[in-house]
Amino acid sequence: MPRTVLITDVTRFIGMPGTKALLEEGYKVFGTDPDFTDDGKRGAYEKACPGATALVPGSPDTLVTEVVEKGGALDVLINNDAYPAHRAAVEEASDTLLAETFEALFFKAYAMARAAVPQMKKQGSGKIIFNTSAAPLNGLRNYSVYVSARGAANALARTLAVELAADNIQVNAVAPNFVDNPDYFPPELMADPDKAARILKNIPMGRLGKPEEAASLLTYLASENSSFITGQIIPLAGGWASAR
């Protein structure tokens, strides 16, 4: 029986390449996204990813119930949370920015994991994957809000891994930085030679990561081959996360 996956914010970050890679491996993929209140955008996702099912956004409990009803189980939850990394010195960061960033990158992911765990415990197995960032592993000057929110999600992954290990639920985080995607490295940015050069000089490998490379890691962590791996924050950053 195909394993069933739910991916959040699926049109953003590494949701689309992740969907395609999982479909190629035979997974049953459900994707939800804030834009999926629009019939046309749900249809566009399903057309771009034949075999995937687009879900109208709802509460975490509603989404988990719908996946189980339609897919028979919830084997893998991928929290693919994305939100702009706003530059702000700590003394200039507003309460609004702090609240919005943590809501998008931590509280929403926490709520989804909380909703998925009872079903996974009932099944006797499950995997939760957080798509976060390598930024907390080194820190980024003037990005304390974004980095703190991503760091909270990394800490959540490690804590849930310990809490849920005895229930045969593995929890890990894919921590990209400098991976090509329209949310953080839009084409118009990388098309500017000066801006691109300033970005690439920070990467020991001298290039952006490919979306397919991120998707391959997601697919591995979703598979049974990774069932003795839990509590890991895995940088996908071309050497940046170990270069300081």
Side-chain angles (χ1 to χ4, degrees):
M1 183 176 177
R3 288 170 60 77
T4 302
V5 183
L6 171 61
I7 307 178
T8 67
D9 285 9
V10 75
T11 67
R12 297 163 169 79
F13 204 17
I14 50 179
M16 292 295 283
T19 294
K20 292 175 181 179
L22 288 161
L23 288 169
E24 288 176 3
E25 293 297 318
Y27 288 79
K28 190 182 299 183
V29 181
F30 293 84
T32 189
D33 193 273
D35 289 343
F36 285 177
T37 54
D38 183 287
D39 291 346
K41 291 182 178 179
R42 289 199 308 277
Y45 168 69
E46 292 182 344
K47 183 177 180 180
C49 303
T53 300
L55 301 181
V56 175
S59 71
D61 288 333
T62 297
L63 289 168
V64 169
T65 298
E66 189 171 2
V67 170
V68 173
E69 288 177 349
K70 293 180 176 179
L74 175 58
D75 299 299
V76 184
L77 168 65
I78 300 177
N79 280 309
N80 180 55
D81 305 297
Y83 193 75
H86 292 290
R87 182 182 177 89
V90 64
E91 69 270 22
E92 298 170 358
S94 69
D95 289 345
T96 298
L97 176 61
L98 190 66
E100 290 179 350
T101 303
F102 267 79
E103 175 61 34
L105 300 181
F106 178 72
F107 292 121
K108 187 168 68 172
Y110 192 108
M112 282 302 313
R114 183 175 58 197
V117 164
Q119 175 62 31
M120 291 179 175
K121 285 185 174 181
K122 180 180 177 181
Q123 296 165 186
S125 65
K127 294 177 182 289
I128 300 173
I129 304 168
F130 296 87
N131 288 338
T132 62
S133 172
L137 304 179
N138 281 347
L140 285 176
R141 182 181 299 165
N142 295 322
Y143 287 94
S144 61
V145 173
Y146 176 80
V147 174
S148 296
R150 289 299 199 188
N154 286 345
L156 176 61
R158 282 196 163 131
T159 299
L160 292 184
V162 174
E163 182 175 332
L164 301 173
D167 297 294
N168 194 27
I169 299 171
Q170 294 84 52
V171 188
N172 294 288
V174 174
N177 199 16
F178 302 113
V179 172
D180 190 12
N181 70 87
D183 287 282
Y184 295 105
F185 298 97
E188 60 272 18
L189 173 66
M190 300 309 295
D192 184 312
D194 291 335
K195 292 179 180 178
R198 286 199 296 271
I199 290 169
L200 296 178
K201 75 177 182 180
N202 295 301
I203 310 169
M205 290 187 68
R207 67 171 176 87
L208 292 182
K210 300 175 184 177
E212 295 79 13
E213 291 170 320
S216 293
L217 181 53
L218 279 180
T219 302
Y220 174 69
L221 290 175
S223 74
E224 287 300 308
N225 292 329
S226 70
S227 290
F228 201 57
I229 299 174
T230 196
Q232 301 306 300
I233 313 302
I234 305 175
L236 193 74
W240 177 85
S242 58
R244 301 181 184 182

